[in-house]
Amino acid sequence: MTTTLLPPLLVLVASLWMVPLLTVNAFTSSITSTEFSTRCALPKKGLFAKDKWDMLIDEDEDLQFLGGPPVPRDMKYNMYNIQRQRENYESMKAAGGKDITNDVYARDPEEETFWFVGKIARVGDVTVEKAMARLWPMIEEHSARLRPVELYPKWGKLELFVSPGDSELDVAYCKPELQFEQMFREISGVEDITKAVRSVEIGFQGELYENNEEGFRTVRSADGKAVKP
């Protein structure tokens, strides 16, 4: 019987090829399948998964938001500004609690239905009126995107109201003492709201729907009072 010896170079190449394979086998045999999936799976954020805000924007690409007053660069409805305002809100609420927050509702001026569209927060001496005026372009466009059937047709003419922070339960029970307060795009005595309020002094967390939610709404009078106390 003749024994064939492999050339030394070929033996070296084969050895180097087997090292990664043996390493992987040793690694996978030492952990469970669940652990392997957790430790080796691709990240779920970034390029590998869409944020719900991305989906909200993508689904409504056919909606046009043209005309109207100029929108400050930091209030344009894009992922960078949306994320920054959401982070602002979360940080402010964590530090100051719900007393510095408000729930926000939008409505078609010709309808009695008020749609919950998100929450705002503010710091320092920034009033809720100033915060809403500063955030107006972002909140109004978010409202129209969130409710394209009910609110988008009146974009540019939507009415925005606020209630105390985290007051959804009281709103649902139509407590008569809880009256919404109407906000306005412009504030008397404030010529340039972008100079009066910095974007880092306010935060907005827009409402998002999951699993075909119908959306929280309430029926109220034009001045924000509960219709059925």
Side-chain angles (χ1 to χ4, degrees), residues 87-105:
E87 291 174 352
N88 286 355
Y89 173 86
E90 292 172 351
S91 298
M92 291 175 190
K93 186 177 182 182
K98 69 177 184 180
D99 290 341
I100 63 170
T101 71
N102 289 89
D103 296 347
V104 183
Y105 293 82

Side-chain angles (χ1 to χ4, degrees), residues 11-90:
V11 173
L12 177 61
V13 171
S15 300
L16 292 175
W17 178 81
M18 289 297 294
V19 169
L21 180 60
L22 293 174
T23 303
V24 171
N25 288 339
F27 172 71
T28 55
S29 63
S30 65
I31 63 174
T32 66
S33 60
T34 301
E35 290 174 331
F36 181 78
S37 297
T38 302
R39 292 162 63 175
C40 302
L42 293 173
K44 294 182 179 180
K45 291 185 180 294
L47 297 178
F48 300 98
K50 281 194 172 184
D51 185 276
K52 286 181 288 185
W53 287 91
D54 287 311
M55 295 176 66
L56 182 64
I57 294 175
D58 291 347
E59 290 174 355
D60 297 328
E61 288 182 347
D62 57 331
L63 301 183
Q64 299 295 316
F65 297 89
L66 305 174
V71 177
R73 182 177 181 181
D74 56 9
M75 286 297 132
K76 291 183 180 297
Y77 199 84
N78 57 53
M79 284 306 305
Y80 177 78
N81 290 335
I82 291 169
Q83 180 66 21
R84 182 174 60 176
Q85 284 302 313
R86 180 168 54 183
E87 291 174 352
N88 286 355
Y89 173 86
E90 292 172 351

Side-chain angles (χ1 to χ4, degrees), residues 192-213:
D192 188 348
I193 191 63
T194 62
K195 294 181 179 179
V197 179
R198 296 180 298 164
S199 62
V200 296
E201 297 178 309
I202 51 178
F204 171 61
Q205 183 183 68
E207 171 73 330
L208 291 173
Y209 297 152
E210 295 182 348
N211 302 322
N212 298 318
E213 287 181 86

